[in-house]
Amino acid sequence: MQRRTFLRSSALASSLLLVPTLLHALDAGPGLARLRDARGRRLIVVQLGGGNDGLNTIIPYKNELYYQARPTLGIKESAGILALDKDLGFNPAMRGLKGLYDQGQVAVLNSVGYPNPDRSHFRSMDIWQTGSAAEQTWSTGWLGRYLDSACADCPHPYNALELDDTLSLALKGQTRKGLALKDPAKLHRLTQSRAGAAAHLADHAHEHHAAQVDYLYQTLAETTSSAQYLYDKTRIYQSATAYPAGEFGKSLKTTAELINSGVESRVYYLALAGFDTHVRQQEQQGRLLGQLSDGLAALAADLAQSGEWANTLVLVFSEFGRRVGQNASHGTDHGTANNVLLLGGSLRRQGILNAAPDLANLDQGDLRHQVDFRGIYATILQDWLGADDAGILGTGFERVRGLV
């Protein structure tokens, strides 16, 4: 029996393959106390998959070079651009985020990237998720290493949760990993049949796969208590806030319910895909940015109502931006530097934090990065989560001073 076939034989495999091993009991321990040193603060990461076009997200609507590069794709002020500061404006679909911006709850960093950028979706996403340099290949993620550092003896497997079926590299550490789940109720139902599933696996595996059977059986058993805990917690609080329809809105709602129910996770990781807009970009990107904007506005309102928004920081990023010039298909191709959004109820610096992208000084048609994304990570790790940013990322990255 092949390992791939062996794993597929379990209905739980897709949910549990990336669940960390050696999960412990749910009683509080020293690891939980160490995480609480960050004063109950949490981080929510939103990954925009596909390479979001930053120039049509934060629009330089007073810059004629923008319209020269995008004669039909450039969004005109008359289309309803939502004016911000420094002659920049949100895409017309981003009214929810504009409301938060006006309340001082959004910060924008322009031209974020890294030296020698890679235009491959997979490679660039790996770089962003690990915090490596372009010439390095790392097997652990920046948030996974945070768990290694700050949560070495945590009793819980859910100190970092990803609202998905599989765990991203970002949440994989050397010794600690996050927990991936789309729906606490679904995970709970799956783990309830653990005994039958494990027996089925054992009965159908050859003897030389016994170690694999033992591993899956133990993982299954260890996950059950966590699934029960999360399921019970989400039954405490049922959100009445209206979120956008679709998977992303559902994930945001689940995140709010977990937070408002008292789950002790310090990191939540979500994704919104579909931003690879080579063709007919306007409609597709507008729809996705509307989901992003309305969803985050709903999340902020939900958490503010329960008093949790002040303890929350949201990071929104994409693996790269798009080319400055439009292509022949009324879309944009893979580019380099991009904007990054930070949201929260306790931002000390708000608005546009640096200069708009320099469209007069391009690198073969691409934006030059002005801010290294690892400096943003270092800021979050040290100033927000109270972690050792140098130990997790290395040194030499300039933090965003006074942000949080």
Side-chain angles (χ1 to χ4, degrees):
M1 184 183 212
Q2 295 298 313
R3 176 175 171 81
R4 185 177 301 273
T5 304
F6 166 71
L7 294 176
R8 282 177 176 169
S9 67
S10 171
L12 293 168
S14 63
S15 297
L16 300 179
L17 277 176
L18 294 173
V19 173
T21 58
L22 302 178
L23 310 186
H24 304 293
L26 295 171
D27 55 321
L32 182 58
R34 289 175 66 183
L35 279 181
R36 279 180 174 157
D37 289 344
R39 292 165 287 176
R41 291 173 170 178
R42 69 185 62 83
L43 171 68
I44 299 175
V45 179
V46 177
Q47 171 186 299
L48 306 182
N52 177 46
D53 178 24
L55 286 177
N56 275 20
T57 301
I58 311 293
I59 304 165
Y61 65 96
K62 298 288 188 180
N63 192 330
E64 190 56 36
L65 293 176
Y66 164 74
Y67 293 106
Q68 290 177 13
R70 300 181 170 204
T72 61
L73 196 60
I75 300 176
K76 293 181 171 54
E77 188 173 0
S78 60
I81 289 174
L82 306 171
L84 305 175
D85 304 305
K86 300 183 180 179
D87 294 335
L88 295 172
F90 275 139
N91 185 289
M94 300 174 69
R95 292 192 175 277
L97 278 177
K98 178 60 162 62
L100 294 178
Y101 184 94
D102 291 343
Q103 297 171 44
Q105 297 177 10
V106 178
V108 178
L109 281 160
N110 296 299
S111 305
V112 181
Y114 54 91
N116 304 313
D118 196 297
R119 290 174 179 78
S120 160
H121 290 294
F122 303 106
R123 178 62 191 136
S124 191
M125 188 62 80
D126 279 354
I127 291 168
W128 275 84
Q129 290 194 356
T130 62
S132 73
E135 66 276 8
Q136 296 172 318
T137 301
W138 290 358
S139 60
T140 59
W142 72 287
L143 292 169
R145 296 194 301 277
Y146 160 68
L147 294 177
D148 286 343
S149 171
C151 196
D153 52 358
C154 285
H156 302 289
Y158 46 79
N159 286 297
L161 293 174
E162 180 159 7
L163 278 295
D164 206 339
D165 288 329
T166 57
L167 195 68
S168 296
L169 178 57
L171 276 72
K172 297 179 184 178
Q174 189 66 40
T175 59
R176 291 291 173 189
K177 295 180 176 66
L179 176 64
L181 75 163
K182 263 193 175 180
D183 181 350
K186 179 181 178 181
L187 182 62
H188 177 257
R189 287 195 302 271
L190 290 172
T191 55
Q192 294 310 295
S193 61
R194 65 192 184 282
H200 174 79
L201 289 170
D203 289 343
H204 290 80
H206 291 307
E207 185 175 346
H208 63 278
H209 290 294
Q212 295 174 359
V213 173
D214 290 344
Y215 166 77
L216 284 183
Y217 187 88
Q218 182 178 355
T219 300
L220 203 58
E222 290 167 342
T223 304
T224 302
S225 60
S226 300
Q228 184 70 54
Y229 171 82
L230 293 171
Y231 174 67
D232 289 343
K233 279 289 189 180
T234 55
R235 297 171 70 188
I236 295 173
Y237 177 86
Q238 301 292 315
S239 175
T241 302
Y243 285 83
E247 288 298 318
F248 182 65
K250 184 184 297 184
S251 293
L252 286 169
K253 183 178 182 180
T254 300
T255 298
E257 290 178 340
L258 289 166
I259 291 171
N260 287 333
S261 297
V263 171
E264 293 288 349
S265 178
R266 285 291 156 263
V267 177
Y268 294 84
Y269 202 94
L270 298 85
L272 177 60
F275 287 93
D276 196 15
T277 51
H278 292 279
V279 179
R280 296 189 298 275
Q281 174 178 297
Q282 291 272 27
E283 181 178 349
Q284 181 176 345
Q285 190 196 27
R287 174 177 54 80
L288 292 169
L289 290 178
Q291 292 180 32
L292 173 71
S293 176
D294 293 346
L296 291 178
L299 176 75
D302 207 344
L303 295 182
Q305 187 174 20
S306 61
E308 294 292 347
W309 183 233
N311 296 324
T312 302
L313 180 67
V314 181
L315 166 70
V316 183
F317 82 96
S318 194
E319 69 264 35
F320 47 61
R322 315 295 291 189
R323 301 277 287 177
V324 173
Q326 68 180 60
N327 62 26
S329 301
H330 302 287
T332 51
D333 299 324
H334 299 180
T336 53
N338 206 352
N339 39 55
V340 163
L341 303 180
L342 293 156
L343 296 76
S346 298
L347 292 179
R348 292 165 55 194
R349 292 178 63 191
Q350 310 89 12
I352 309 295
L353 300 189
N354 62 337
D358 188 351
L359 301 185
N361 182 24
L362 302 180
D363 181 8
Q364 301 181 39
D366 284 316
L367 297 176
R368 298 180 186 273
H369 90 278
Q370 303 298 325
V371 177
D372 194 306
F373 75 97
R374 290 163 291 186
I376 301 174
Y377 288 179
T379 304
I380 293 170
L381 288 167
Q382 178 165 314
D383 298 345
W384 184 253
L385 295 175
D388 177 12
D389 62 303
I392 293 169
L393 298 170
T395 59
F397 306 117
E398 183 178 356
R399 300 203 312 277
V400 185
R401 302 291 178 177
L403 177 65
V404 290

